[in-house]
């Protein structure tokens, strides 16, 4: 056998092996009857995705004939974004706000244009910020100005690590901005007084809920609306919800982590996983877990649950997340300025 023929045989064998290797990788994630994906999310979505993953598994089985297993990861949204940016492998992220997804994008893991990839700026459900107080509201807390009074213990997570905490902060800022007609010095003084009353800065929203509900600290918890309702559901005789005069439209964001799904061959299932969040079935699961469905028709079905007349500012009132993050939450920003004094 001449040298040229031997070389050709070796090359053909190498190409065949490469082809089998590629098929093996695809089959493990897309063709062997089962696929696994990881959803890295934020603290208060545990119950929501526990329910959603069950219906999605049935939907995906019917659509593709394939079983799917979804691994969940939960924590403070900012911390979760950092974990993914630093190598925690996620097929999708479902985080508390657009800025945290952008942090993953800035790490080179998510392609441009993700905000418009799914409906409603890739926000399949929304929430807002409310107060959770102890039954009977012994400190008579009705609005944001009650949180700066002497003797009121406030529980809220740390806006440096928690997306929910950033929504809390901005809602308080919006109230003070209106109260003082945009006088920023007075607004900062108001926010400073509020955080002087904060007893514990947990890293995430669920940790703050535990501090208030299970550990019994504080007089008021600044909470995601869904977290507050879950606490009422678990302890109906112990807590009540107070809706402030001004709050904020909190828009959690979802995105495919492009670099991961392309490596793992899971783009189709990851895309469907986020797309199906907009289905009527999933929208009602969001409502049942006290998130506001983005589908306005289905949202109206929950009008007896949510206060749909609440005055909500939006992140655009702060110039968008880039501007809000830079001004308020970046190192040396307003939060550092008022909290470290």
């Amino acid at each position: 056998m001449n040298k040229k023929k031997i070389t050709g045989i070796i090359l053909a064998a190498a190409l065949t092996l490469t082809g089998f290797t590629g098929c093996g990788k695809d089959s493990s994630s897309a063709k062997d009857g089962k696929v696994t994906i990881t959803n890295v999310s934020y603290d208060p979505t545990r119950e929501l995705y526990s329910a959603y993953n069950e219906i999605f598994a049935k939907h995906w089985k019917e659509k593709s004939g394939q079983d799917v297993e979804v691994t969940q990861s939960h924590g403070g949204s900012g911390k979760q974004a950092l974990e993914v940016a630093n190598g925690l492998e996620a097929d999708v992220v479902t985080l508390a706000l657009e800025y945290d997804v952008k942090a993953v994008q800035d790490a080179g893991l998510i392609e441009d244009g993700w905000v418009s990839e799914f409906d409603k700026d890739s926000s399949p459900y929304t929430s807002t910020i409310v107060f959770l107080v102890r039954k009977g509201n012994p400190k008579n807390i009705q609005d944001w100005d009650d949180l700066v009074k002497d003797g009121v213990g406030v529980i809220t997570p740390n806006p440096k690590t928690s997306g929910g905490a950033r929504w809390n902060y901005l809602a308080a800022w919006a109230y003070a901005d209106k109260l003082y007609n945009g006088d920023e010095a007075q607004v900062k003084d108001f926010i400073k007084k509020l955080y002087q009353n904060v007893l514990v800065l947990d890293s995430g929203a669920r940790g703050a809920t535990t501090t208030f509900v299970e550990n019994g600290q504080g007089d008021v918890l600044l909470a995601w609306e869904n977290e507050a309702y879950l606490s009422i559901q678990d302890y109906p005789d112990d807590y009540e919800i107070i809706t402030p005069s001004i709050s904020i439209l909190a828009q959690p964001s979802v995105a495919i982590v492009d670099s991961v799904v392309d490596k793992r061959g899971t783009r189709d299932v990851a895309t469907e996983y986020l797309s199906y969040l907009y289905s009527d079935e999933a929208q009602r699961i969001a409502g049942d877990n006290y998130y506001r469905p983005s589908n306005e028709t289905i949202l109206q079905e929950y009008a007896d649950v949510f206060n749909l007349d609440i005055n909500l500012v939006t992140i655009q009132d702060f110039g968008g997340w880039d501007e809000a993050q830079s001004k308020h939450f970046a190192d040396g920003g307003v939060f550092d300025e008022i909290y470290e004094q």
Side-chain angles (χ1 to χ4, degrees):
M1 189 177 292
N2 61 37
K3 184 175 181 181
K4 181 182 288 187
K5 189 171 183 179
I6 292 172
T7 302
I9 291 171
I10 293 172
L11 178 59
L15 290 173
T16 301
L17 180 60
T18 300
F20 281 139
T21 302
C23 288
K25 181 177 179 182
D26 289 343
S27 67
S28 68
S29 61
K31 296 178 183 175
D32 65 354
K34 184 173 182 179
V35 62
T36 60
I37 59 173
T38 297
N39 173 11
V40 173
S41 196
Y42 64 105
D43 259 337
T45 61
R46 300 167 198 266
E47 293 79 10
L48 168 61
Y49 281 108
S50 177
Y52 174 70
N53 291 344
E54 289 187 16
I55 67 153
F56 178 74
K58 294 177 183 177
H59 167 72
W60 184 249
K61 180 73 170 181
E62 292 171 358
K63 182 181 177 70
S64 68
Q66 186 179 49
D67 293 319
V68 60
E69 179 181 345
V70 183
T71 300
Q72 287 295 135
S73 172
H74 297 274
S77 186
K79 184 175 180 294
Q80 291 289 82
L82 184 62
E83 294 282 354
V84 175
N86 287 338
L88 175 61
E89 206 165 72
D91 299 88
V92 299
V93 289
T94 56
L95 298 174
L97 44 91
E98 181 182 321
Y99 186 84
D100 288 339
V101 178
K102 187 175 182 298
V104 180
Q105 178 188 1
D106 290 345
L109 304 179
I110 295 176
E111 296 170 2
D112 292 342
W114 68 267
V115 175
S116 58
E117 188 165 357
F118 300 99
D119 290 344
K120 307 285 188 178
D121 295 328
S122 291
S123 181
Y125 43 80
T126 67
S127 191
T128 190
I129 303 306
V130 298
F131 304 159
L132 186 69
V133 299
R134 306 194 186 282
K135 199 72 171 182
N137 195 6
K139 292 293 179 77
N140 193 28
I141 294 166
Q142 301 296 333
D143 215 339
W144 294 98
D145 56 345
D146 294 315
L147 306 187
V148 302
K149 293 178 179 177
D150 292 342
V152 173
V154 178
I155 303 297
T156 182
N158 189 340
K160 305 290 277 191
T161 56
S162 165
R166 277 170 273 176
W167 291 119
N168 293 350
Y169 172 104
L170 293 175
W173 185 282
Y175 173 88
D177 186 64
K178 181 178 180 181
L179 180 65
Y180 296 114
N181 296 313
D183 185 327
E184 190 159 298
Q186 292 189 76
V187 175
K188 286 183 179 179
D189 187 58
F190 180 93
I191 300 297
K192 181 179 179 180
K193 288 178 181 177
L194 192 160
Y195 279 91
Q196 285 174 339
N197 280 350
V198 172
L199 304 180
V200 180
L201 275 182
D202 289 287
S203 63
R206 183 54 58 88
T209 301
T210 298
T211 294
F212 182 74
V213 172
E214 296 183 17
N215 299 342
Q217 298 188 53
D219 301 299
V220 56
L221 171 70
L222 308 190
W224 288 96
E225 185 176 50
N226 66 287
E227 279 286 273
Y229 274 110
L230 287 175
S231 297
I232 296 288
Q233 179 178 286
D234 291 340
Y235 304 96
D237 298 327
D238 297 331
Y239 301 99
E240 58 188 87
I241 293 172
I242 303 296
T243 301
S245 63
I246 293 177
S247 195
I248 192 165
L249 178 65
Q251 294 176 286
S253 295
V254 304
I256 294 166
V257 183
D258 296 289
S259 65
V260 173
V261 298
D262 287 343
K263 179 177 71 173
R264 299 189 64 237
T266 54
R267 180 173 288 278
D268 287 349
V269 63
T271 301
E272 188 66 14
Y273 183 77
L274 297 185
S275 294
Y276 199 65
L277 284 167
Y278 295 88
S279 69
D280 289 356
E281 184 180 23
Q283 288 285 288
R284 290 189 175 96
I285 282 182
D288 290 345
N289 284 274
Y290 305 108
Y291 281 93
R292 297 182 176 216
S294 63
N295 182 314
E296 291 293 331
T297 301
I298 294 177
L299 175 61
Q300 290 300 319
E301 296 176 12
Y302 293 87
D304 60 336
V305 176
F306 303 120
N307 178 357
L308 300 183
D309 296 322
I310 186 173
N311 181 14
L312 299 177
V313 299
T314 74
I315 192 59
Q316 298 309 317
D317 293 308
F318 295 88
W321 266 113
D322 284 345
E323 185 171 330
Q325 178 71 25
S326 175
K327 176 176 179 176
H328 294 280
F329 310 118
D331 291 345
V334 174
F335 177 75
D336 284 350
E337 177 188 332
I338 64 101
Y339 192 70
E340 293 176 357
Q341 287 181 353

